[in-house]
Amino acid sequence: MQLTQYLDSVESSSISYDGLYPGHIQTTPVQKALLAVGSGVAALQNPYRHDMVAVLGETTGHLALTALRDRMRDDPEGYAVLTERPRIRLSTLDLTKMAALPDGSFGREYLRFLEENNVTPDSRADVRFVDDEELAYVMQRYREVHDLLHTLLGMPTNMLGEVAVKWFEAAQTGLPMCALGAALGPLRLNASRLQTLLTSLGPWALRSGRQARCVLSVFYERRWEQNTEELREELRIPPPPASLARRSS
């Protein structure tokens, strides 16, 4: 049975939405293991299968999500995020106001990133297989701040930029899904970009991820007017060397 068929069978079986949070699907440890293996294989075959990457993250990330949740609880701003549960969706963004912000402000640069790369925050899938309501929100928040990290790190959405962000996320979050992406992403790079990743961009991303403040503990919705460079400095994220940022584009 193909994984997509198995997912359909899980959703339509007696394992129904149980009210833990909207869309949650309760699964047994055996079912989670099957989903993790199947989604991992599918993601290896096609890294652009975002639905499979999402399932892999949800079925393998319990320990990392718990650690991230604890870091957020220990941070006043992160605790506010956990308490208020903001969502980054087109319905929650004031695009007109963000477009009027000055160049260099975080909100304006994030909107520019969305426009130039033709992406939308609404493309992030809802969490289904995390069996804890608070941890499910942590996973959802991780997904929804991914494009904000591209903005903070100055990375485009090409393969080199995505791998650099994934190296940062692996060091920052400890999520197995991120580690897998960081390990396998370089295999899809040409020789020139692989050299850039291994000699300069990758070490910068790993170092930045390790030393940065927990990026899930930032209430970004209250930071749109802040200068991007100031926010990056506050979060202890050094900018990439200019030459490397240009080569990744």
Side-chain angles (χ1 to χ4, degrees), residues 194-216:
L194 180 60
Q195 182 180 16
T196 297
L197 177 73
L198 296 180
T199 60
S200 301
L201 197 56
W204 163 80
L206 289 175
R207 183 174 63 254
S208 299
R210 286 193 296 264
Q211 73 184 31
R213 176 185 165 196
C214 178
V215 293
L216 299 188

Side-chain angles (χ1 to χ4, degrees), residues 47-64:
Y48 294 100
R49 283 293 304 272
H50 299 299
D51 55 340
M52 295 297 99
V53 174
V55 173
L56 178 64
E58 294 176 30
T59 53
T60 62
H62 179 78
L63 293 178

Side-chain angles (χ1 to χ4, degrees), residues 97-173:
K97 181 177 180 180
M98 293 172 72
L101 291 173
D103 289 341
S105 64
F106 184 59
R108 185 66 190 90
E109 297 309 313
Y110 171 56
L111 180 59
R112 194 190 316 279
F113 170 86
L114 296 178
E115 294 172 340
E116 291 182 351
N117 294 282
N118 194 29
V119 296
T120 169
D122 289 354
S123 64
R124 303 300 170 186
D126 290 332
V127 175
R128 295 180 294 170
F129 297 107
V130 177
D131 296 332
D132 179 283
E133 186 267 343
E134 191 172 42
L135 296 184
Y137 175 75
V138 174
M139 174 60 82
Q140 192 71 49
R141 187 66 172 175
Y142 158 74
R143 288 179 183 168
E144 294 181 4
V145 304
H146 177 79
D147 290 337
L148 300 178
L149 293 184
H150 273 276
T151 304
L152 281 171
L153 298 174
M155 290 293 105
T157 58
N158 63 17
M159 183 55 66
L160 180 57
E162 289 289 355
V163 173
V165 173
K166 199 57 65 180
W167 281 36
F168 176 93
E169 290 178 339
Q172 167 80 191
T173 70

